[in-house]
């Protein structure tokens, strides 16, 4: 009896050991599987950007500029915006300011997408330059080489004339700029001006018109046999990693898009009427963030991903005559401040959106400031912001030289 009892206990002991061993193996396997899933999950997650980024070295100047921006936004009834500043390719200040949606009480953030209006032309011009580099477009070819249905004028219009705003094509009327209809294709949009006479012979004068870049967009579509936004995505947005730059489609759900606002005749804020801007996608139809725009300009300042020849073209205005240099180049406006610093700038000026993109190549300073209401009544103080940073940097440069 004792022997049987002892054998039974030994049996129970071995069973317990076996069960314990199996449980330990199962626990270890479960831990490995769980850890694997966690690691895969983390690998697929993007690290969130901080809501506000600033370099402590520039905290003094940032603090003063921020006060000025808040006063400017308050005094002009601007709900929200975002700003991004880089020096020598490094972002020293980036944040959203104010409200992206008053109805939902959503704050503006660094990744909030705003309408960038005419700043879109920089992206279109960069797409064009890439197509020229690949011999898909030829600058001296007439527009009829790519858009044969466009009426022939008394003097030929080249593709380059469209990029430089020297085609002689008239600017849009207020009604044409504020078109309220639902989607028209780029080709349908040409009907507004295609039969009009030129204001002056191509190449003689420079006069901004969204029609130039809309016509260029049609030429790009015909030359590539693809939709314009697909070409832009391939050559610019995906290649440069501009993750928050997208076409503004009012009928699509776009993550992080700001609401748009307008001011009435007595400067009271109201929600902007829905407008479909896709018929002028190449000239004014994109959304972006201040960070994305600063990133784009820094890649133009430092060739690498973008070919050096293209980068050089972006800051070299064309000649209107033997002695007259154009002020506009590839969507940029070239000017100097009172201290003879050379700047290139582009303003949004679009319904429901405002702001400025500016670069001082000599100082390697880039500033993007975007808003969710048009700032045409009082231009954003971006030039003063640039001046403050330049003044802040100069003493440091003098100490180093001494």
């Amino acid at each position: 009896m004792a022997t049987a009892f002892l054998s039974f206990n030994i049996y129970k002991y071995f069973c317990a050991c076996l069960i314990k061993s199996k449980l330990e193996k199962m626990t270890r396997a479960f831990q490995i599987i769980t850890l694997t899933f966690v690691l895969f999950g983390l690998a697929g997650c993007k690290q969130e950007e901080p809501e506000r980024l600033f370099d402590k070295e520039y905290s003094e100047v940032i603090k003063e500029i921020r006060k000025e921006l808040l006063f400017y936004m308050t005094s002009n009834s601007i709900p929200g915006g975002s700003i991004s500043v880089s020096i020598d390719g490094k972002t020293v200040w980036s944040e959203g300011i104010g409200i992206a949606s008053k109805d939902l009480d959503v704050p503006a953030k660094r990744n909030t997408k705003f309408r960038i209006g005419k700043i879109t032309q920089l992206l279109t011009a960069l797409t064009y330059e890439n197509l020229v580099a690949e011999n898909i477009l030829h600058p001296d070819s007439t527009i009829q080489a790519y858009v044969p249905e466009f009426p022939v004028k008394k003097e030929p219009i080249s593709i380059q004339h469209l990029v430089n705003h020297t085609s002689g094509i008239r600017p849009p009327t207020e009604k044409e700029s504020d078109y309220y209809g639902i989607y028209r294709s780029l080709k349908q949009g040409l009907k507004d001006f295609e039969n009009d006479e030129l204001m002056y012979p191509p190449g003689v004068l420079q006069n901004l018109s969204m029609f130039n870049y809309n016509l260029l967009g049609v030429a790009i579509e015909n030359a590539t046999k693809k939709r314009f936004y697909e070409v832009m995505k391939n050559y610019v947005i995906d290649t440069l990693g501009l993750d928050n730059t997208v076409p503004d489609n009012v009928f699509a759900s776009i993550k992080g898009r700001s609401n748009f606002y307008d001011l009435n005749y007595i400067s009271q804020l109201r929600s902007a009427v829905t407008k479909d801007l896709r018929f002028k996608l190449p000239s004014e139809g994109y959304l972006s963030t201040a960070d994305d725009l600063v990133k784009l300009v820094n890649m133009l300042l430092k060739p690498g991903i973008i070919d050096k020849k293209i980068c050089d073209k972006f800051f070299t205005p064309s000649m209107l005559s033997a002695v007259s240099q154009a002020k506009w180049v590839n969507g940029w406006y070239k000017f100097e401040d009172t201290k003879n610093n050379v700047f290139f700038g582009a303003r949004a000026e679009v319904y429901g959106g405002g702001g400025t993109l500016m670069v001082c190549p000599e100082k390697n300073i880039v500033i993007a400031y975007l808003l969710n209401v048009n700032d045409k009544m009082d231009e954003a103080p971006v030039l003063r912001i640039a001046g403050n940073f330049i003044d802040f940097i100069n003493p440091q440069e003098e100490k180093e030289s001494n």
Side-chain angles (χ1 to χ4, degrees):
M1 184 72 179
T3 304
F5 180 76
L6 179 62
S7 299
F8 178 72
N9 283 339
I10 293 172
Y11 173 75
K12 283 175 62 179
Y13 172 75
F14 278 111
C15 286
C17 289
L18 184 61
I19 292 171
K20 182 179 179 182
S21 176
K22 287 186 176 180
L23 285 173
E24 287 176 350
K25 289 180 179 180
M26 290 174 66
T27 301
R28 198 175 299 115
F30 178 76
Q31 289 173 341
I32 292 171
I33 292 170
T34 302
L35 181 61
T36 302
F37 275 109
V38 169
L39 290 174
F40 271 112
L42 290 175
C45 293
K46 289 185 178 180
Q47 186 176 356
E48 287 190 10
E49 293 281 350
E51 291 188 6
R52 182 185 179 194
L53 185 154
F54 71 95
D55 191 318
K56 291 183 179 179
E57 181 182 354
Y58 301 94
S59 59
E60 181 181 334
V61 66
I62 291 172
K63 183 178 178 181
E64 292 302 315
I65 293 170
R66 197 172 188 277
K67 287 181 181 178
E68 183 172 356
L69 285 184
L70 290 171
F71 175 78
Y72 166 77
M73 292 175 68
T74 302
S75 59
N76 287 278
S77 302
I78 297 171
S82 67
I83 185 166
S84 183
V85 180
S86 76
I87 298 175
D88 294 328
K90 177 186 177 183
T91 300
V92 299
W93 180 27
S94 175
E95 72 170 306
I97 302 174
I99 298 294
S101 172
K102 291 178 69 68
D103 292 343
L104 300 177
D105 195 25
V106 175
K109 297 183 178 180
R110 293 176 59 196
N111 61 357
T112 299
K113 300 177 180 66
F114 296 90
R115 282 180 171 166
I116 62 172
K118 296 178 180 63
I119 299 174
T120 299
Q121 294 178 24
L122 292 169
L123 303 171
T124 301
L126 184 53
T127 302
Y128 160 80
E129 293 292 356
N130 276 283
L131 293 173
V132 169
E134 294 187 3
N135 290 317
I136 296 174
L137 288 177
H138 301 278
D140 296 329
S141 296
T142 63
I143 188 61
Q144 285 75 25
Y146 304 102
V147 191
E149 65 271 24
F150 190 79
V152 176
K153 306 301 178 183
K154 290 182 180 179
E155 296 188 49
I157 301 173
S158 72
I159 296 294
Q160 190 64 46
H161 286 143
L162 299 178
V163 180
N164 294 340
H165 286 290
T166 56
S167 65
I169 294 174
R170 66 172 178 83
T173 64
E174 185 175 348
K175 182 178 179 181
E176 289 166 341
S177 294
D178 293 334
Y179 176 73
Y180 281 88
I182 303 303
Y183 179 69
R184 292 189 298 173
S185 67
L186 296 182
K187 287 185 178 180
Q188 288 174 326
L190 302 184
K191 295 179 181 179
D192 290 340
F193 66 95
E194 63 183 6
N195 293 316
D196 296 340
E197 294 296 325
L198 299 181
M199 296 178 64
Y200 49 82
V204 174
L205 298 172
Q206 194 169 45
N207 191 17
L208 298 190
S209 172
M210 73 175 189
F211 292 146
N212 284 306
Y213 273 72
N214 292 347
L215 181 53
L216 176 62
V218 176
I220 288 173
E221 286 190 336
N222 289 348
T224 60
K225 309 299 182 187
K226 295 180 180 179
R227 302 290 291 274
F228 175 79
Y229 69 86
E230 294 175 327
V231 184
M232 174 90 85
K233 191 174 190 297
N234 180 43
Y235 281 94
V236 177
I237 294 173
D238 285 353
T239 299
L240 304 184
L242 305 180
D243 298 330
N244 288 307
T245 302
V246 296
D248 183 13
N249 184 349
V250 294
F251 301 105
S253 176
I254 299 176
K255 184 179 180 180
R257 175 170 52 187
S258 171
N259 285 0
F260 307 123
Y261 297 93
D262 185 24
L263 298 176
N264 63 17
Y265 292 107
I266 56 174
S267 297
Q268 290 178 322
L269 190 71
R270 62 186 181 184
S271 294
V273 177
T274 298
K275 282 192 178 181
D276 189 354
L277 304 182
R278 287 175 294 173
F279 79 99
K280 50 183 178 181
L281 197 59
S283 61
E284 300 181 6
Y286 270 76
L287 301 167
S288 191
T289 63
D291 280 346
D292 260 15
L293 295 180
V294 167
K295 181 179 181 180
L296 166 67
V297 178
N298 278 319
M299 283 187 278
L300 288 169
L301 290 174
K302 188 177 181 180
I305 297 177
I306 303 175
D307 186 82
K308 187 178 185 303
K309 291 181 180 179
I310 294 177
C311 293
D312 291 342
K313 284 183 180 180
F314 253 78
F315 300 101
T316 307
S318 61
M319 300 298 292
L320 296 175
S321 64
V323 294
S324 177
Q325 190 181 63
K327 287 292 185 181
W328 287 92
V329 52
N330 289 315
W332 287 118
Y333 179 73
K334 182 183 178 182
F335 64 97
E336 294 183 7
D337 66 4
T338 55
K339 298 179 182 179
N340 298 321
N341 294 307
V342 176
F343 287 88
F344 290 83
R347 291 191 64 197
E349 287 186 304
V350 66
Y351 187 72
T356 304
L357 175 62
M358 186 179 296
V359 54
C360 180
E362 293 174 356
K363 305 295 184 182
N364 215 351
I365 294 177
V366 186
I367 301 172
Y369 181 42
L370 299 177
L371 309 167
N372 51 15
V373 65
N374 195 320
D375 63 338
K376 62 183 177 182
M377 294 181 66
D378 186 8
E379 186 175 344
V382 176
L383 186 57
R384 291 200 297 277
I385 293 173
N388 287 350
F389 274 101
I390 290 173
D391 292 342
F392 184 80
I393 293 169
N394 280 337
Q396 294 179 338
E397 295 176 345
E398 290 175 8
K399 289 179 182 178
E400 291 174 0
S401 62
N402 292 335

